[in-house]
Amino acid sequence: MFKHAVIPFLVGASLLASAPFAHAATNLVFCSEGSPAGFDPGQYTTGTDFDASAETMFNRLSQFERGGTKVEPGLATSWDVSPDNLTWTFHLRDGVKFHTTPYFKPTRDFNADDVLFTFNRMLDINQPFRKAYPTEFPYFTDMGMDKNIAKVEKIDDKTVRFTLNTVDAAFIQNLAMSFASIQSAEYADKLLKEGKPADINQKPIGTGPFVFKSYQKDSNIRYTGNKDYWKPEDVKIDNLIFAITTDPSVRIQKLKKNECQVTLFPRPADLKALGEDPNLKMPHQAGFNLGYIAYNVMDKIKGSNEPNPMAQLKVRQAMDMSVNKQQIIDSVYQGAGQLAVGAMPPTQWSYDTSIKDAPFDPVKAKELLKEAGIKEGTEITLWAMPVQRPYNPNAKLMAEMLQSDWSKIGLKAKIMSYEWGEYIKRSKGGENGAMLIGWSGDNGDPDNWLGTLFGCDSLEGNNFSKWCDPEFDKLVKAAKATTDVAERTKLYQQAQQRLKSQVPMTPIAHSTVYQPMRKNVEDFKISPFGLNSFYGVSVGK
């Protein structure tokens, strides 16, 4: 279906007659790894969802430079911050147009009303659109923004003011993240009047470089280049197609046959052959990521009446020290992973280099289980991801190796999995036992690791351990509420020590990220945040 999709085609003769130059359409096919759960970025937390929505069709007030962590202007051209760091005033870009599609034609340009709609929908459960289409905004609440943004005000059509309750040192980085993508208030009003508010998640409208055309679940997503984009030099592709291909070996075969021009998550075993193919190139870099085991620490796992062994610290310590990490890195990552010790990558500022793993010691682990009153053969569940992610190239194999490790200390791990969207949804609801998951940093700030993944505000979101520790939480919140980097570093390092001692998770590895593509793909940048963006990308002959 997608074979030779990059061959240009000429426009019709009628256009040629009136145009000074014949325009050849440029197409790019991206072999993606999974179907998005939807196209409303505020509702989701995974790269699969953000690639298909935020990175293609939307913009934010601030944005990250391509391939980097530096924040630059987006839909806001500039912003002012009050001396107490509690008031942020954004000056909005002129002449930005929302997409025109068969289902929506805007009558005005982007303005302050769109910013107010986007954030008030996340802030206020009684906001009319949210009442008509009830949904949660996990990133927004995980970072406590629902509690910290006191109000969002329209000063005039091109000026918006945010007032915070407490200082948020990462505020401008947070606004550059995918979940903060700006929606059209005019489109939302139209959907509300038609009684179709859920269409915001299936028929998206944004201001971004690509316009939504069609979606077939588990097959493809089609976009067209946005000819009215406010930064026209960034739109060099006429037709962008996501060919949803869950099998990594099939993705590689499609790439070799030029059925797609860019793909992701090659299996470590395929790296050598890919590197030797003269038609391909394979940029790579150290991943700003972490693959880990989250231990559900609730007294009873949701849906079970039995006491949860992992609620006990000694059980978590035993499970942690019986994981043969080096064997997993050798077999699962095959040279493309580095041993992880802490709850974030060593390249993240404030990382505590003094933290060490407990020694690998299955004998002591058995003793700890005995002290905790855990009988030989006690059954636990181990959840394994159904998809590849940058931080875990083969969750099934990793789960089987963990099952073997834990059997040696008397724990019987039953491996479970679900479709990716269901996997995330059920685990956010607390149904998971021990769980394979991971994270690619989103904004370059330590809070994006410690607060988002292990803070008390994240219990219904990305805190898959369901671990709420008042001592840890106090340190992380204090760190976020000061702009003094030295003070923040000290507090974050104390928080890392506390987390390591309480073992809500076992860090496994930081992976190297490889991005295979055809040699004629130009100016693609690997994102440190594990996202795939195609603005600024072109395809040569």
Side-chain angles (χ1 to χ4, degrees), residues 139-156:
Y139 246 133
F140 191 69
T141 52
D142 280 5
M143 295 190 295
M145 292 180 83
D146 56 326
K147 298 185 181 74
N148 199 34
I149 296 175
K151 57 184 173 180
V152 188
E153 300 168 279
K154 175 182 176 178
I155 307 304
D156 57 44

Side-chain angles (χ1 to χ4, degrees), residues 130-307:
R130 183 161 174 189
K131 283 185 82 172
Y133 175 48
T135 186
E136 299 303 315
F137 300 96
Y139 246 133
F140 191 69
T141 52
D142 280 5
M143 295 190 295
M145 292 180 83
D146 56 326
K147 298 185 181 74
N148 199 34
I149 296 175
K151 57 184 173 180
V152 188
E153 300 168 279
K154 175 182 176 178
I155 307 304
D156 57 44
D157 269 358
K158 293 297 171 191
T159 317
V160 175
R161 180 182 297 147
F162 286 74
T163 304
L164 307 183
N165 290 315
T166 58
V167 173
D168 179 353
F171 187 65
I172 198 66
Q173 286 100 321
N174 292 344
L175 290 189
M177 289 167 58
S178 299
F179 78 89
S181 294
I182 301 299
Q183 298 274 4
S184 164
E186 186 185 15
Y187 180 49
D189 286 344
K190 176 180 181 284
L191 293 178
L192 208 52
K193 284 172 188 161
E194 292 172 351
K196 298 177 180 176
D199 276 4
I200 201 168
N201 194 29
Q202 301 302 324
K203 296 180 177 179
I205 292 290
T207 58
F210 297 96
V211 181
F212 181 77
K213 196 171 176 186
S214 65
Y215 170 48
Q216 284 182 276
K217 186 174 169 61
D218 300 327
S219 176
N220 65 78
I221 317 168
R222 293 174 178 268
Y223 312 87
T224 54
N226 181 5
K227 301 305 179 191
D228 296 319
Y229 193 48
W230 54 270
K231 202 175 177 185
E233 66 273 18
D234 273 357
V235 183
K236 298 175 180 176
I237 299 165
D238 295 302
N239 299 290
L240 174 64
I241 300 159
F242 280 32
I244 299 162
T245 313
T246 56
D247 186 322
S249 61
V250 176
R251 288 200 296 270
I252 295 307
Q253 287 308 311
K254 283 186 174 184
L255 184 71
K256 286 181 173 179
K257 292 176 183 175
N258 199 25
E259 291 175 14
C260 59
Q261 289 72 55
V262 181
T263 190
L264 73 178
F265 310 151
R267 296 178 303 185
D270 292 332
L271 294 176
K272 186 172 183 292
L274 285 168
E276 293 169 353
D277 190 316
N279 297 310
L280 305 180
K281 57 184 174 181
M282 198 159 52
H284 61 277
Q285 63 189 35
F288 191 53
N289 61 40
L290 170 68
Y292 65 95
I293 310 163
Y295 301 115
N296 187 335
V297 304
M298 296 194 306
D299 290 336
K300 287 184 179 176
I301 290 170
K302 189 177 176 183
S304 169
N305 293 318
E306 299 296 318

Side-chain angles (χ1 to χ4, degrees), residues 61 113 139 277 285 375 409 414 491:
L61 292 176
D113 292 335
Y139 246 133
D277 190 316
Q285 63 189 35
K375 293 176 182 174
I409 62 169
K414 179 186 176 186
L491 291 164

